[in-house]
Amino acid sequence: MRNKIVAGNWKMNLDADAAKRLYLDLLNKSIDQSDGKMILIFPPNIYLQDFIERNNGSFEIGAQNFNAKSNGAYTGEVSASQLKSIGCSWVLVGHSERRILFKEDDQVLVNKIKTALKHGLNVIYCCGESLNEREQLQHKSKIQNQLALLKSFSLDEVQFISIAYEPIWAIGTGETASPEQASEMHDFIREELTSLFGLETADNTSILYGGSCSPRNAETLFKCDNIDGGLIGGAALDADSFSSIIEVLS
Ligand code: PEP
């Protein structure tokens, strides 16, 4: 069954005191996942273990980044098996900031997804077009190409992968895709997943919207047929905003 998901990507924000305060505020909100919603938090890696230990079951905790190698001489890196061993259950792969700023190409992303799945981590695979690609009417072909790397995975593996559609021009800009734009792309992603993996798998895959999603626009976006929740950046850094977004997902 397709999950309804709200995920908060904290990126490289918040020093220890502020991070702990936000996490405790969220825990105190007693967010209910019983109505079929999953709430995921992706804090900076240094806070993962503490947050997992403090978790009261309200959230699943994921990592924003890890290395595709299993272990070894990779100074400064963290592996999927290390994440799993502290109780992490999700990872982000393919975020535009990792693709662009850290030059992660398709092969790196395939390797990261492979190692994450091997160690029992669920994956949110992010895709999205730039403003220029949209203006050149290449937004669908861009997404099609980004989804094509999922062909490296079997049906058994794909069931642990969710998709986040994140137009790059909407990330952190305050400019959100309109419900029509987002709907068109989410419908397209569902169609692509259907041609890659068949109707049943496509239908069971959660597709999240990300890009300046806020309490102001979340409800309208989440009402669209193929939008199964959101990947939230800036608005996840405030407990009230994040919980308002969770509330409007039904
Ligand atoms: C993100 O980076 O995943 C994101 C959606 O950020 P924001 O909500 O700030 O646009």
Side-chain angles (χ1 to χ4, degrees):
M1 220 208 34
R2 204 191 293 178
N3 291 311
K4 295 277 182 182
I5 298 174
V6 179
N9 174 14
W10 292 12
K11 311 195 186 188
M12 197 175 71
N13 290 303
L14 306 179
D15 287 346
D17 284 349
K20 193 158 101 186
R21 208 173 318 120
L22 172 57
Y23 188 60
L24 294 179
D25 284 351
L26 288 169
L27 287 177
N28 284 335
K29 295 225 173 246
S30 307
I31 289 163
D32 185 11
Q33 297 199 58
S34 60
D35 48 355
K37 293 181 208 175
M38 293 179 71
I39 316 301
L40 318 180
I41 309 248
F42 292 85
N45 281 357
I46 51 165
Y47 305 135
L48 285 170
Q49 184 151 16
D50 181 44
F51 284 14
I52 288 165
E53 283 166 7
R54 290 173 192 274
N55 197 0
N56 61 6
S58 298
F59 308 108
E60 298 206 17
I61 310 283
Q64 300 169 27
N65 189 39
F66 61 103
N67 194 287
K69 304 279 188 205
S70 296
N71 63 293
Y74 302 101
T75 302
E77 296 297 276
V78 167
S79 72
S81 75
Q82 290 171 328
L83 294 173
K84 184 68 183 178
S85 72
I86 61 163
C88 216
S89 46
W90 287 80
V91 285
L92 291 181
V93 177
H95 193 285
S96 58
E97 288 155 16
R98 302 264 359 139
R99 290 181 194 257
I100 297 167
L101 302 174
F102 299 96
K103 311 275 180 282
E104 292 189 355
D105 61 16
D106 283 1
Q107 193 52 58
V108 170
L109 302 182
V110 167
N111 293 344
K112 287 179 86 167
I113 296 175
K114 269 204 164 70
T115 187
L117 296 175
K118 179 173 157 210
H119 292 286
L121 295 163
N122 298 287
V123 173
I124 294 184
Y125 175 62
C126 307
C127 56
E129 81 284 359
S130 66
L131 185 57
N132 185 45
E133 286 159 343
R134 177 160 280 269
E135 285 170 350
Q136 303 295 316
L137 302 180
Q138 292 164 352
H139 43 299
K140 287 190 176 169
S141 59
K142 177 64 182 286
I143 302 304
Q144 189 171 42
N145 290 336
Q146 290 181 322
L147 292 176
L149 65 73
L150 296 177
K151 280 191 247 174
S152 308
F153 301 97
S154 67
L155 286 186
D156 279 349
E157 292 174 314
V158 169
Q159 60 175 312
F160 300 106
I161 302 176
S162 298
I163 308 294
Y165 168 62
E166 299 206 302
I168 298 169
W169 47 271
I171 295 180
T173 58
E175 194 179 336
T176 318
S178 66
E180 293 74 26
Q181 287 171 318
S183 239
E184 182 193 26
M185 296 308 283
H186 281 242
D187 293 352
F188 177 70
I189 290 168
R190 186 88 59 206
E191 282 162 25
E192 281 301 300
L193 293 173
T194 305
S195 63
L196 288 170
F197 303 111
L199 201 55
E200 191 182 342
T201 299
D203 203 41
N204 285 334
T205 303
S206 304
I207 309 175
L208 316 183
Y209 170 80
S212 297
C213 191
S214 70
R216 199 173 34 82
N217 54 38
E219 188 164 16
T220 322
L221 287 163
F222 293 169
K223 278 198 181 122
C224 301
D225 269 355
N226 280 312
I227 300 186
D228 305 310
L231 177 55
I232 320 296
L237 297 174
D238 178 88
D240 290 336
S241 299
F242 191 58
S243 51
S244 311
I245 293 173
I246 293 167
E247 265 166 36
V248 296
L249 179 67
S250 56

